[in-house]
Amino acid sequence: MPILIKEGESVTVDVSSTGTIKLLAEAQEQDKIPEEGSATASIKVSTLKTTQNKSLSVKVVENRGRYSGNTATWKFVFKIEKVK
């Protein structure tokens, strides 16, 4: 089940040592016909020995109007750590 995390928030998830944490970052422009982009990554819980930062870059391309073809890129950084 997906968990929505907003900027600055943190969550604790219960995952088995053989499980996987799946990350999804989404960006959407705010106009009448919004374009959007997304990026995903997976992290195996077994590889988490220390705190790990995972960056995802999300590109949104304008596909209509006079700015068609212009792009914007957002960088999302997730900090993942084991809770003992």
Side-chain angles (χ1 to χ4, degrees):
M1 134 176 86
I3 299 170
L4 176 64
I5 304 171
K6 295 183 180 181
E7 184 177 1
E9 292 182 339
S10 65
V11 296
T12 301
V13 293
D14 187 12
V15 184
S16 75
S17 61
T18 58
T20 301
I21 298 170
K22 295 180 182 179
L23 304 173
L24 167 66
E26 295 179 320
Q28 181 183 72
E29 71 170 338
Q30 301 297 305
D31 66 9
K32 195 166 44 171
I33 305 172
E35 283 79 37
E36 56 188 43
S38 64
T40 60
S42 294
I43 298 172
K44 292 182 180 181
V45 174
S46 61
T47 66
L48 286 175
K49 306 298 182 212
T50 61
T51 299
Q52 193 175 47
N53 288 326
K54 183 66 177 176
S55 296
L56 295 176
S57 292
V58 176
K59 184 178 1 179
V60 177
V61 179
E62 181 67 44
N63 61 14
R64 293 180 181 87
R66 66 179 169 176
Y67 298 111
S68 184
N70 287 354
T71 63
T73 304
W74 283 267
K75 180 179 179 181
F76 294 81
V77 180
F78 297 87
K79 179 180 175 183
I80 300 122
E81 61 187 345
K82 271 188 175 180
V83 177
K84 297 179 181 180

